[in-house]
Amino acid sequence: MYNVSASEESERMSLYKKTSAVTNIPWYYFAAIDQYERQIHDEIPEGRVTAIQPDPLFWRGVNEPSMFFPDGWGASGNDDAKAEMTNDEDILWSLGNYIKSYGTTKDDIRIALWNYYKRDLTVQTIMNTAQVFKKFQTVSLTDRDFPLPLEANYSYNNTWGDVRGFGGRRIHEGTDIFANYGVPVKSTTYGVVEMKGWNKYGGWRIGIRDIYNIYHYYAHLNGFKDGIKVGDVVKPGDVIGSVGATGYGPPGTSGKFPPHLHYGMYKDNGEHEWSFDPYPYLKKWEKLARKSQ
């Protein structure tokens, strides 16, 4: 995650909105594409404020006709008449023209993104992030929250990587937070509900994809918040369910272990997704939540 100054953020928003005005593609899609690429590259190129790095094939095309990039899409987005693959305005203008060639509806944009990235998870992540930016009308969304109320009776230790026997020999991909049945479970982040339902091992569980290409997994729930559904945009502190002990059997199986929240985090780098230890983040968010009381 990059540290971004207020002035850089303002400059980025100006670029997104300028490109939106001339392409009719809503600004939050450009912001979401940029946000996605900020997570898959090690650093922003020098002299740039966006992180989008087009493939040379997209920019220049090929000698032989190509289904997606026949002649290349690189074009000048400012007044210098130069199509520079290192210029933010040129990149956004060229990408906007490419997307617009498919149309400007949500489905059109989804198809354009798939043909650009050719990866389902990438497209879903960008579309989710766009909906978050649309709802909150900003890209400055850095708040976080602890997943349980601080006044609840809870306890947790670093259990990531521990051996698990249920469901075959495997490691524990998360942190278990023990609490009483029915304690509210909250979203820790801004994001979109990507999955909701039953799993043989996880019981009633819900998954939220945030704007940093991270999937947050909440398992063994007693139940869900009324009305919450896949596609909902959530923010830190929104209640999504409650602590339970469900799982390890058909739907409704419960009580084979003490009630607790299994909280997992998975990072996507544009090629692979993997589990990482959520414990340090939970400790940080817990501390921040106590300071804000």
Side-chain angles (χ1 to χ4, degrees):
M1 185 187 307
Y2 303 107
N3 292 319
V4 182
S5 67
S7 61
E8 180 183 324
E9 209 162 72
S10 176
E11 186 176 354
R12 285 166 55 202
M13 285 293 290
S14 295
L15 286 171
Y16 304 149
K17 292 185 175 181
K18 175 183 176 182
T19 310
S20 175
V22 294
T23 61
N24 293 319
I25 305 297
W27 70 267
Y28 40 82
Y29 287 108
F30 295 111
I33 294 167
D34 186 23
Q35 181 71 8
Y36 173 81
E37 296 219 7
R38 295 174 91 80
Q39 315 312 312
I40 66 173
H41 301 303
D42 292 333
E43 58 185 17
I44 296 175
E46 188 176 353
R48 300 263 310 278
V49 294
T50 74
I52 303 169
Q53 299 183 30
D55 187 317
L57 177 63
F58 166 82
W59 196 260
R60 290 188 288 270
V62 292
N63 292 329
E64 297 181 4
S66 166
M67 181 184 299
F68 301 125
F69 315 136
D71 300 313
W73 287 89
S76 176
N78 49 29
D79 297 326
D80 65 3
K82 298 177 182 178
E84 298 176 300
M85 203 166 60
T86 57
N87 180 280
D88 288 313
E89 288 187 87
D90 292 355
I91 290 170
L92 289 173
W93 168 251
S94 301
L95 188 57
N97 280 334
Y98 172 74
I99 294 172
K100 189 177 180 180
S101 72
Y102 287 82
T104 57
T105 70
K106 187 175 180 179
D107 286 341
D108 293 333
I109 293 169
R110 183 186 293 274
I111 293 169
L113 289 174
W114 194 92
N115 285 331
Y116 183 81
Y117 287 103
K118 301 180 180 63
R119 183 171 183 259
D120 290 338
L121 181 55
T122 294
V123 174
Q124 186 61 43
T125 299
I126 291 171
M127 298 299 288
N128 284 348
T129 299
Q131 293 311 300
V132 175
F133 289 159
K134 177 183 179 181
K135 179 169 182 175
F136 297 104
Q137 290 294 300
T138 181
V139 296
S140 180
L141 300 170
T142 58
D143 293 339
R144 294 292 182 269
D145 199 2
F146 190 69
L148 299 186
L150 297 182
E151 62 271 18
N153 182 19
Y154 66 85
S155 64
Y156 66 105
N157 293 303
N158 192 347
T159 56
W160 189 85
D162 289 355
V163 174
R164 285 293 182 267
F166 281 117
R169 191 170 180 83
R170 56 198 174 90
I171 69 165
H172 188 238
E173 295 184 343
T175 294
D176 289 337
I177 308 176
F178 291 88
N180 295 326
Y181 283 105
V183 170
V185 171
K186 302 181 292 180
S187 174
T188 59
T189 184
Y190 294 93
V192 174
V193 176
E194 193 169 272
M195 177 275 295
K196 173 194 169 189
W198 178 269
N199 175 271
K200 180 178 179 181
Y201 302 119
W204 297 118
R205 80 273 195 265
I206 195 166
I208 295 170
R209 181 83 54 181
D210 75 9
I211 63 174
Y212 294 99
N213 299 14
I214 296 173
Y215 181 75
H216 302 254
Y217 179 69
Y218 307 74
H220 307 311
L221 300 176
N222 195 50
F224 304 107
K225 178 187 175 182
D226 288 345
I228 194 166
K229 62 187 183 300
V230 171
D232 283 353
V233 176
V234 296
K235 65 181 184 301
D238 282 353
V239 174
I240 57 175
S242 60
V243 172
T246 59
Y248 298 103
T253 304
S254 183
K256 294 186 177 182
F257 44 78
H260 68 278
L261 169 67
H262 169 96
Y263 182 78
M265 296 174 72
Y266 298 80
K267 176 68 175 179
D268 174 49
N269 68 355
E271 296 180 358
H272 311 287
E273 188 176 49
W274 68 92
S275 170
F276 64 97
D277 187 0
Y279 182 78
Y281 297 90
L282 289 167
K283 296 298 288 185
K284 178 181 179 180
W285 299 336
E286 183 183 28
K287 185 177 180 180
L288 288 172
R290 292 196 185 284
K291 283 186 176 180
S292 66
Q293 283 185 322

